[in-house]
Amino acid sequence: MHWISFLSLTLKGSLYLGTLYISLTFIVPVTKSLVESYFATSVSFNLDTIYLNWNTSFPAITVCELYNSEKIWDTSDSLFGIEHDFHIDDFVGEIAFFRGICTSCEMCEKVQCPDNFTQLLDVFRSKCHELIVECQYLNNIFDCCDQFLPILTEYGVCYTFNSVQARKVAQVQFKNNRMTGAGNLKFLATADIQVNVHAPIDVPYLFSEGMIRETVLLGNNKELILNVIEVYNHESVEELNYEQRRCRYSHEHSEQRIGIYEFYSFSGCIVECTVTLQLLYCNCTSHFMAVPSKNSLPMCDYQGLICLTDIHDRLVAERKSCDCMSSCEEPEYNIIYNTADDKQDSEKDFSDIHVALVELPTQRYVRRVSKTFLDLLSKCKK
């Protein structure tokens, strides 16, 4: 009798296990599909047109000085003497306006090149008060260098208006609403410059796509009229992890952060990732990123710059694969009107720059949580 009972229990156990196995072949794929769907579609975008009480971020305007051969020659004469080796001018130009390549660095094996790059930048790059003058915002005059603050970029030290990275404060300073009206900024530039227009959380960077960047030669005028599409994040969005919402907030730094910038942004992440690659391959980074008063990153000497030159193409390719996610707090700015570039030389000693919003926006995107964990559980239960 015992063996009959044992056989019965064995048959029941086998039946249960067989049923469980067959069930799992259906349950596992369905559950996997539900979980993947939850993570893929847990956030939605909606268009919001109830715009009466919005605050709209005026863009950050970053001004970077451009290479000027005449200034290099004149300053070299006064610093090194009229009889100096003129090959030094090429070297100084590539150091002061470094763009990732230094072809003249190889001559330093034969010629004694200046080795204090920090001093060269101090002498050959214009200070804020020398570069930007006569500033107005919403027709209110202000001291330019009170608001155009220095910021480290891959173009060297630039001067930026309304940047949270330069101010090291998370809140945007200049916002527009029904009380202020659409923002507009005017200033004069006293040298050839590059004007970058971008979100206040961003920084200018090399090979950027989608960032507004205009070259303004001395004596020419530039007017940019923009519209803006703001992205508002519902409070519940921050409760999701960044992989679910597929963006990072300004306080959510990536694992590869090295501390050049105060807040997370896609552009800042790309810059810091590139510096990490430079440290990996050459054990140093450029003098634009390694600033003794700002950080402790090792600065390349001329031999280090030769190394960076040798791996330049590799860096350009690898930085495209940097693990950098979009920012959750990134308005989109588009050009409505842009003055044509003046191809004729001008006699003026300054350039007139005007950047303005065409109007206050009447719509914005709202990022919301469309599926919660309870939705996942309820679907699994069904």
Side-chain angles (χ1 to χ4, degrees):
M1 296 296 292
H2 289 293
W3 66 272
I4 295 176
S5 176
F6 175 76
L7 182 60
S8 176
L9 289 173
T10 302
L11 290 172
K12 287 181 180 180
S14 299
L15 181 62
Y16 290 150
L17 289 174
T19 304
L20 178 61
Y21 176 77
I22 294 172
S23 299
L24 285 175
T25 59
F26 292 98
I27 293 173
V28 170
V30 171
T31 303
K32 182 181 178 183
S33 176
L34 287 172
V35 172
E36 289 177 349
S37 175
Y38 166 69
F39 279 103
T41 61
S42 55
V43 173
S44 66
F45 279 89
N46 305 106
L47 198 61
D48 183 5
T49 57
I50 307 174
Y51 59 90
L52 296 181
N53 297 313
W54 289 351
N55 280 322
T56 299
S57 301
F58 191 77
I61 311 298
T62 303
V63 176
C64 302
E65 185 180 14
L66 294 177
Y67 175 84
N68 183 310
S69 58
E70 292 184 4
K71 179 181 178 180
I72 296 291
W73 299 335
D74 292 342
T75 308
S76 290
D77 286 346
S78 61
L79 184 64
F80 305 118
I82 298 177
E83 301 299 327
H84 72 275
D85 188 329
F86 291 106
H87 290 97
I88 295 297
D89 294 348
D90 297 330
F91 174 76
V92 168
E94 289 197 284
I95 296 300
F97 298 91
F98 184 66
R99 291 294 181 270
I101 295 176
C102 181
T103 56
S104 61
C105 283
E106 293 186 355
M107 77 172 187
C108 297
E109 302 285 354
K110 301 177 181 179
V111 177
Q112 186 174 359
C113 298
D115 57 2
N116 191 333
F117 295 168
T118 303
Q119 182 186 28
L120 291 180
L121 295 180
D122 186 60
V123 172
F124 286 91
R125 294 290 291 256
S126 299
K127 309 296 188 298
C128 173
H129 68 274
E130 299 169 331
L131 188 63
I132 307 168
V133 297
E134 296 188 25
C135 298
Q136 297 181 46
Y137 179 73
L138 290 174
N139 298 320
N140 295 316
I141 297 173
F142 64 90
D143 187 317
C144 296
C145 299
D146 285 346
Q147 299 299 339
F148 278 92
L149 303 179
I151 187 169
L152 300 182
T153 77
E154 292 182 310
Y155 300 102
V157 173
C158 299
Y159 301 98
T160 182
F161 176 88
N162 204 34
S163 166
V164 300
Q165 301 286 7
R167 293 177 59 242
K168 302 186 184 300
V169 177
Q171 299 299 318
V172 176
Q173 183 175 8
F174 293 98
K175 297 181 179 181
N176 303 140
N177 49 43
R178 296 182 70 198
M179 296 292 293
T180 65
N184 66 83
L185 173 71
K186 298 178 181 179
F187 62 92
L188 303 182
T190 61
D192 298 342
I193 61 170
Q194 180 175 277
V195 177
N196 302 272
V197 181
H198 51 87
I201 196 70
D202 272 321
V203 294
Y205 64 108
L206 294 172
F207 317 115
S208 59
E209 297 179 4
M211 189 174 288
I212 298 172
R213 185 170 55 204
E214 293 289 329
T215 296
V216 184
L217 301 181
L218 184 62
N220 295 336
N221 298 332
K222 176 59 65 174
E223 182 176 21
L224 292 171
I225 307 299
L226 314 168
N227 72 356
V228 56
I229 301 177
E230 198 92 33
V231 177
Y232 171 75
N233 297 290
H234 193 269
E235 294 176 359
S236 57
V237 173
E238 195 166 0
E239 296 174 4
L240 301 176
N241 65 56
Y242 61 83
E243 292 181 344
Q244 285 176 267
R245 59 178 126 89
R246 287 173 286 183
C247 66
R248 289 181 187 266
Y249 282 90
S250 60
H251 62 275
E252 296 177 323
H253 290 287
S254 64
E255 293 74 15
Q256 63 195 14
R257 186 198 181 204
I258 56 179
I260 295 175
Y261 300 112
E262 190 75 16
F263 305 106
Y264 178 83
S265 67
F266 173 80
S267 54
C269 177
I270 292 293
V271 173
E272 294 202 349
C273 175
T274 303
V275 170
T276 301
L277 292 172
Q278 292 173 341
L279 296 173
L280 175 65
Y281 294 128
C282 297
N283 297 316
C284 62
T285 187
S286 81
H287 45 286
F288 284 170
M289 293 289 108
V291 180
S293 61
K294 303 288 185 182
N295 54 56
S296 57
L297 295 172
M299 182 189 298
C300 292
D301 56 12
Y302 79 86
Q303 292 176 324
L305 294 183
I306 291 174
C307 177
L308 294 186
T309 302
D310 291 339
I311 65 166
H312 179 261
D313 291 342
R314 184 176 184 177
L315 287 176
V316 172
E318 290 193 14
R319 66 188 275 154
K320 295 178 181 178
S321 302
C322 288
D323 185 18
C324 293
M325 193 172 287
S326 298
S327 171
C328 297
E329 307 150 304
E330 197 172 84
E332 178 183 326
Y333 300 96
N334 298 294
I335 296 177
I336 299 298
Y337 172 76
N338 184 0
T339 50
D341 294 332
D342 192 346
K343 297 182 180 180
Q344 296 182 347
D345 292 334
S346 174
E347 300 295 328
K348 295 192 300 182
D349 295 330
F350 59 85
S351 300
D352 196 335
I353 316 296
H354 180 209
V355 181
L357 298 183
V358 64
E359 61 183 357
L360 293 175
T362 57
Q363 59 184 21
R364 66 179 179 179
Y365 290 111
V366 178
R367 185 185 279 115
R368 300 180 186 274
V369 175
S370 58
K371 293 181 181 178
T372 66
F373 188 65
L374 290 176
D375 296 323
L376 176 62
L377 292 178
S378 65
K379 287 195 175 185
C380 290
K381 187 176 180 181
K382 293 177 182 179

